[in-house]
């Protein structure tokens, strides 16, 4: 049995980890916003910054995983406490992938503007879905910070909206490409950006599911309510 | 300190988890192979089976995560033992995602053949990259089964080959689409399949990195040798 002293130390260490996860969350949120700005107006310096930040995010992933392991070994948490650590380990992976997707958007934006393709920039087409994903990611981190299962549950439903919007973007892009094959390269750039945004929505949904796991003790992954059938369909 | 009896129980329980991970690995391997067969020759029944198997894989993910948590709480593993469990938890996530990607390929294949698009099927274009990814996944599971760090390290290098092949597929598809805009829909189907295959290669690489973490105690994620710069670039 852990004494009060030891239990307090456990709480402090866990809180330090949680703060660092939120720091990591803040960085990937900024990466995503900056990457979308690059896609909208160009700005290669900012794109480079997004790409560089990815190293910081990667290092945070490795050091946070390590901190979680140390906490388990030294404090031998109870089943309840362990649930929080396990969820945190999973959330770290999702945040790192959000950083990857933001980096991909920054790379596309950089190449696109370098090629002078800004004229056929389809930013307007993805603006809506990007806003939805931004809100989802923000809400997911907020729900994690406040251990708010209600908020987490509410945002999961938005994933279906993103998938719906993504399919509609696909259809629009196909129409554009068919009407003017010279736009195919630019359309594919937009497609990759849309795909990255859709993935960020997926990761936000995953984070929300882990928050619910911590708060309610229920693993709702792969259940109907968490993942409506529509979100499993591939866009056509 | 754990007694000999308790330590043996720990070994048995860990071995049971490892067997189940390998079972899960076998299922997603089959899903991937079956999905590629569907893409090549159609066969909606087989596509449906791949899609149904995804439920089995998802349930395995949840129950394996649970088994890992239980093992930690009851056996209070040492730092060394915990490393194996942590890596296993991460590998489970990657295997589940491989199942997701195989399911996406099966859905594309089903829709494509339903639309009678088999004529413009670009299977030949992705055959090479699919074989590379199949080998990588198989080697990753084999390295995990045998705790073989050498084999794990060898397969990581193949991820760069996949990324290279993926970019070449992209260029070919753009050429096809420009030459005949009527092929755009079918080309995009192939693009999604190629993307899913590339992702499966990424997951195999991740698994290999976790095997190395278990065997050598080194976290080589995000280091140069593990992830050559080329693999981080977005295909154009």
């Amino acid at each position: 049995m852990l004494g009060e002293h030891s239990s307090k130390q456990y709480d402090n260490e866990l809180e330090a980890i949680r703060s660092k996860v939120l720091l990591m969350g803040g960085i990937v949120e900024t990466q995503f916003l900056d990457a979308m700005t690059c896609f909208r107006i160009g700005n290669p310096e900012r794109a480079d910054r997004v790409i560089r930040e990815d190293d910081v995010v990667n290092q945070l992933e490795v050091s946070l995983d390590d901190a979680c392991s140390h906490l388990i070994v030294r404090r031998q948490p109870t089943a309840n406490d362990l649930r929080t650590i396990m969820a945190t380990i999973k959330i770290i992976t999702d945040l790192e992938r959000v950083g990857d997707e933001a980096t991909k958007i920054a790379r596309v934006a950089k190449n696109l503007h370098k090629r002078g393709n800004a004229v056929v920039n389809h930013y307007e087409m993805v603006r809506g879905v990007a806003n939805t994903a931004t809100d989802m990611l923000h809400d997911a981190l907020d729900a994690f910070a406040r251990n708010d299962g209600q908020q987490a549950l509410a945002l999961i439903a938005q994933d279906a909206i993103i998938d719906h919007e993504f399919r509609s973007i696909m259809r629009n892009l196909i129409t554009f490409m068919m009407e003017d094959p010279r736009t195919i390269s630019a359309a594919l750039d937009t497609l990759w950006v849309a795909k990255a945004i859709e993935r960020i929505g997926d990761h936000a949904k995953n984070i929300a599911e882990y928050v619910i796991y911590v708060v309610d003790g229920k693993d709702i992954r792969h259940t109907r309510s968490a993942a409506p059938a529509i979100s499993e369909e591939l866009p056509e």
Side-chain angles (χ1 to χ4, degrees), chain A residues 143-154:
Chain A
F144 173 74
R146 301 190 294 108
N147 269 324
D148 187 337
Q150 288 298 325
Q151 186 176 22
L153 202 58

Side-chain angles (χ1 to χ4, degrees), chain A residues 119-135:
Chain A
V119 197
V120 280
N121 190 327
H122 297 128
Y123 173 76
E124 284 307 319
M125 217 185 270
V126 298
R127 181 213 286 264
V129 74
N131 287 342
T132 311
T134 303
D135 290 347

Side-chain angles (χ1 to χ4, degrees), chain A residues 55-196:
Chain A
D55 283 339
V56 178
V57 171
N58 292 343
Q59 289 316 311
L60 274 169
E61 182 195 21
V62 171
S63 77
L64 275 166
D65 273 354
D66 203 46
C68 288
S69 292
H70 274 93
L71 186 62
I72 293 173
V73 169
R74 277 184 311 180
R75 304 280 165 225
Q76 304 186 338
T78 59
N80 239 3
D81 288 338
L82 184 63
R83 203 163 60 211
T84 306
I85 306 176
M86 295 286 277
T88 306
I89 290 168
K90 300 277 192 175
I91 287 170
I92 293 162
T93 308
D94 279 298
L95 287 178
E96 191 269 334
R97 302 275 155 88
V98 172
D100 283 348
E101 300 298 338
T103 304
K104 283 180 196 170
I105 296 172
R107 283 188 205 278
V108 172
K110 208 177 140 183
N111 289 329
L112 187 131
H113 287 275
K114 199 160 63 187
R115 290 204 311 270
N117 260 348
V119 197
V120 280
N121 190 327
H122 297 128
Y123 173 76
E124 284 307 319
M125 217 185 270
V126 298
R127 181 213 286 264
V129 74
N131 287 342
T132 311
T134 303
D135 290 347
M136 276 181 77
L137 180 59
H138 190 79
D139 287 355
L141 289 165
D142 201 39
F144 173 74
R146 301 190 294 108
N147 269 324
D148 187 337
Q150 288 298 325
Q151 186 176 22
L153 202 58
L155 80 92
I156 287 173
Q158 294 190 58
D159 196 47
I161 299 173
I162 288 198
D163 291 331
H164 180 80
E165 288 185 65
F166 181 72
R167 276 193 291 278
S168 138
I169 292 167
M170 276 283 285
R171 279 191 299 271
N172 282 334
L173 285 173
I174 290 175
T175 309
F176 273 111
M177 287 191 271
M178 287 193 160
E179 278 171 4
D180 184 358
R182 287 168 305 174
T183 65
I184 286 175
S185 279
L188 288 181
D189 281 336
T190 308
L191 193 67
W192 293 125
V193 170
K195 185 74 192 156

Side-chain angles (χ1 to χ4, degrees), chain A residues 200-235:
Chain A
I200 290 174
D202 280 345
H203 291 299
K205 191 189 80 168
N206 292 346
I207 293 170
E209 287 176 2
Y210 294 125
V211 169
I212 291 168
Y213 175 64
V214 169
V215 178
D216 300 344
K218 271 189 305 198
D219 195 335
I220 65 159
R221 290 178 296 175
H222 313 305
T223 56
R224 284 283 147 222
S225 64
I230 191 174
S231 73
E232 295 293 320
E233 273 166 38
L234 193 86

